[in-house]
Amino acid sequence: MVDMELLTYLEDFLSPERRARFEEILEKRTRFITVATEDVWQMHNASAVIRSCEAFGVQQAHLIEGKFGDKLDRKIARGAQKWVDVYRHEDSGSCMKHLRSSGYRIVATSPHATSSSLADFQLDQPTAFFFGTEKEGLSQEVMQHADAYLAIPMAGFTESLNISVSAAIILHELTNRLRSSDLPWQLSDAEKLEKRMDWTRKSIKSLEAIEVRFQRERDAKSGK
């Protein structure tokens, strides 16, 4: 639960424009869809996917990093990792288990499986979209255990797109569709407060000293 007294105190260190911007963006944020990248070895690709999540209002992203480790380039992400909740997983199985336990359907994006095209895809429940590397695609584990498959229609000789391009196309289409639907895609009031606190804390220099001062002032008021 968010400490509202502390949040109010900390928000005084932000400009009114900054506070208003946070509230405006939070109205467009969603956890209804999320993405997972599987063992992406090119650092700029994973980073660009996080950047696309932030740009299109997707609040969560999952990185499966069992083979290659941390592949997030903060220069390419351009600060997006500050505003998106990034979860790291050691393997695809644990990632899928985590997402299913959180209520998500698993959708593998692949041009080679029997897939729904993007235009025909039915987005009617919380969904996690899995993306593999451009060269090898998704692992057999994900392909075998996915609940559904999704492909971006191609009109040329190229059979696949760069992972970051694929993610951007899918997120652009589906977030637009979400916002014009009656689905419960928005963050809850509690989730919005949680992110207001998180983003506010990340925006303040000397945060630790300020929070110590706040606690001292609160203790003094209560006679402690």
Side-chain angles (χ1 to χ4, degrees):
M1 183 179 294
V2 172
D3 184 335
M4 290 303 300
E5 187 179 357
L6 174 60
L7 177 59
T8 300
Y9 185 88
L10 293 178
E11 284 185 330
D12 282 342
F13 290 87
L14 305 180
S15 68
E17 294 77 15
R18 185 74 159 178
R19 294 198 300 270
R21 184 64 173 151
F22 282 174
E23 293 182 9
E24 176 188 356
I25 290 174
L26 284 169
E27 289 302 311
K28 300 175 183 178
R29 277 294 204 258
T30 187
R31 286 192 172 108
F32 196 87
I33 60 178
T34 186
V35 302
T37 64
E38 186 184 43
D39 289 322
V40 175
W41 65 274
Q42 290 183 322
M43 184 178 290
H44 68 272
N45 280 331
S47 305
V49 171
I50 301 302
R51 188 174 174 184
S52 291
C53 286
E54 203 289 315
F56 296 118
V58 174
Q59 186 56 44
Q60 293 184 351
H62 299 262
L63 306 181
I64 301 165
E65 300 177 321
K67 290 183 180 179
F68 307 113
D70 186 349
K71 287 292 179 180
L72 192 60
D73 186 330
R74 285 159 179 77
K75 291 182 180 178
I76 295 172
R78 295 181 67 86
Q81 74 280 356
K82 185 176 181 179
W83 314 116
V84 173
D85 302 326
V86 179
Y87 298 91
R88 290 181 157 87
H89 305 269
E90 292 186 358
D91 57 75
S92 300
S94 62
C95 181
M96 287 190 287
K97 182 178 179 180
H98 168 80
L99 287 166
R100 281 207 171 95
S101 68
S102 300
Y104 287 96
R105 171 177 55 160
I106 306 299
V107 173
T109 62
S110 171
H112 303 299
T114 301
S115 309
S116 298
S117 69
L118 183 55
D120 298 329
F121 184 77
Q122 296 297 311
L123 183 63
D124 54 9
Q125 65 185 88
T127 303
F129 296 92
F130 276 63
F131 297 88
T133 62
E134 185 175 10
K135 183 178 179 181
E136 299 177 353
L138 286 165
S139 68
Q140 284 301 306
E141 182 178 15
V142 173
M143 295 300 291
Q144 289 173 3
H145 293 94
D147 302 306
Y149 304 90
L150 175 63
I152 299 172
M154 302 288 176
F157 293 108
T158 301
E159 292 187 341
S160 64
L161 294 169
N162 178 279
I163 176 179
S164 61
V165 175
S166 296
I169 290 171
I170 290 171
L171 293 181
H172 176 265
E173 167 67 22
L174 295 183
T175 53
N176 278 339
R177 200 184 299 177
L178 268 183
R179 294 187 183 105
S180 62
S181 75
D182 295 326
L183 293 166
W185 60 269
Q186 289 181 292
L187 301 182
S188 67
D189 289 342
E191 289 172 330
K192 290 175 187 176
L193 281 175
E194 177 189 326
K195 295 320 300 176
R196 272 177 59 190
M197 175 65 88
D198 180 37
W199 292 353
T200 296
R201 295 182 81 250
K202 288 176 178 176
S203 301
I204 297 175
K205 295 180 179 179
S206 304
L207 174 66
E208 184 176 349
I210 289 171
E211 289 186 330
V212 167
R213 185 172 68 190
F214 164 79
Q215 190 59 51
R216 287 174 178 169
E217 291 177 2
R218 180 153 67 179
D219 290 346
K221 289 179 182 177
S222 63
K224 292 184 179 180

